[in-house]
Amino acid sequence: MKTNVQGNKVPTFYCLMMVLLLGAAPSFVKADESDLYDFLWLDPDKKVYVLQNKVYRKENSFYVNAGYLMDLSSDYTSGKGFRVGAGYYIKEEWGFELIYQGYSNSNNDAYKNLQQVNGSVPFIRKFNKVYGGLGVWSPFYGKINTFNKIIYFDWSFGLGVGKVETESNKDSVSSPSTADRFAKESYTGILAKTALRVHISKRVHLNLEFMRTTFNAPGPTLNNRVSSSTWRGHSDAIIGIGFSF
């Protein structure tokens, strides 16, 4: 016996990200070291700078990242893998990045329990690869003092497009008499991320990222009829190390 389980996830993550980007842009695009406030009501000669001098600059710098990723979206599989990326900052706040993500998947306890209880096989779409390019906006930076050690960080956002390579059992899951099989698929996806870069030294940083991939794909085939496509979301958490040049 097989059962069709699928999630039609509306890409609300992108709505929230666009609100944040559009809302923050007027305030932070010009928030560099040249910005200052004139306190004319206090003293015409007094000027207070908005931001202090940066310790770790990004303008005209290349960087490479490598890290471990965890799949946060799959209901019936446990996904893990790796992420590599390389980018360049044209300006202090603006850059671009190329990424490649590879996945390894295995059935989790939810899948095994479903089979043991009623012998059902769920609809599953596994991620194999994601690669593409993103524009990067890094409007925020700061520092914290922890155990008498100052830690500097940058907070950035990325948006772009890429290729999503998956495999699913959509053609066999609805047929009890057909052996469960997975077929390879390929889609164009929207890539969005937010990342925290924690500086270890001038050239080395710790990278913490949340990645959201949205793509348009069909659900399982029912009665020999392919279901309509809908937008689906996939999330990953990545931790890694990076180097700047």
Side-chain angles (χ1 to χ4, degrees):
M1 176 181 177
K2 298 180 181 181
T3 180
N4 301 329
V5 180
Q6 59 177 319
N8 298 334
K9 300 180 180 178
V10 179
T12 55
F13 173 78
Y14 294 101
C15 297
L16 294 175
M17 176 166 283
M18 290 304 299
V19 170
L20 177 60
L21 294 179
L22 294 175
S27 300
F28 291 98
V29 167
K30 294 184 179 181
D32 57 24
E33 292 171 271
S34 63
D35 290 327
L36 50 84
Y37 290 128
D38 292 324
F39 285 87
L40 300 179
W41 56 271
L42 180 63
D43 188 330
D45 296 327
K46 297 294 184 182
K47 296 179 179 180
V48 179
Y49 284 89
V50 179
L51 299 177
Q52 64 182 24
N53 292 333
K54 275 193 173 181
V55 175
Y56 299 99
R57 293 185 172 275
K58 301 185 297 296
E59 185 173 2
N60 295 325
S61 67
F62 289 93
Y63 64 89
V64 294
N65 296 324
Y68 171 82
L69 69 83
M70 292 184 298
D71 176 359
L72 303 178
S73 296
S74 299
D75 295 325
Y76 295 101
T77 60
S78 296
K80 57 185 177 181
F82 67 92
R83 144 80 80 81
V84 292
Y88 179 75
Y89 272 99
I90 304 170
K91 297 292 185 180
E92 191 65 28
E93 294 87 11
W94 296 97
F96 61 88
E97 182 177 2
L98 301 176
I99 65 160
Y100 180 93
Q101 297 181 175
Y103 297 79
S104 174
N105 301 281
S106 61
N107 297 332
N108 62 16
D109 288 340
Y111 178 94
K112 297 173 183 177
N113 292 336
L114 187 64
Q115 280 195 315
Q116 290 174 357
V117 172
N118 56 20
S120 297
V121 174
F123 169 57
I124 296 175
R125 175 169 280 118
K126 303 177 183 178
F127 266 47
N128 291 333
K129 299 176 184 177
V130 174
Y131 49 91
L134 304 92
V136 179
W137 180 44
S138 182
F140 308 117
Y141 72 89
K143 64 181 180 179
I144 58 175
N145 189 337
T146 305
F147 300 110
N148 293 325
K149 179 177 178 58
I150 297 177
I151 299 174
Y152 296 87
F153 63 88
D154 290 275
W155 184 16
S156 64
F157 303 88
L159 186 65
V161 295
K163 206 68 176 176
V164 182
E165 295 188 10
T166 66
E167 59 181 66
S168 79
N169 60 349
K170 68 180 181 64
D171 295 327
S172 63
V173 67
S174 63
S175 176
S177 60
T178 304
D180 198 40
R181 66 177 185 274
F182 286 81
K184 293 185 180 300
E185 306 166 329
S186 182
Y187 305 99
T188 297
I190 302 172
L191 310 179
K193 71 166 189 171
T194 182
L196 190 68
R197 176 190 285 195
V198 181
H199 297 279
I200 300 174
S201 68
K202 289 285 187 180
R203 301 298 182 189
V204 182
H205 58 266
L206 177 67
N207 217 45
L208 304 173
E209 295 190 29
F210 175 82
M211 180 83 173
R212 184 71 172 173
T213 303
T214 300
F215 60 103
N216 196 272
T221 301
L222 302 174
N223 299 322
N224 296 321
R225 297 180 60 182
V226 179
S227 64
S228 60
S229 295
T230 185
W231 287 101
R232 304 173 187 275
H234 181 93
S235 301
D236 295 301
I238 302 106
I239 181 171
I241 196 76
F243 304 90
S244 301
F245 308 96

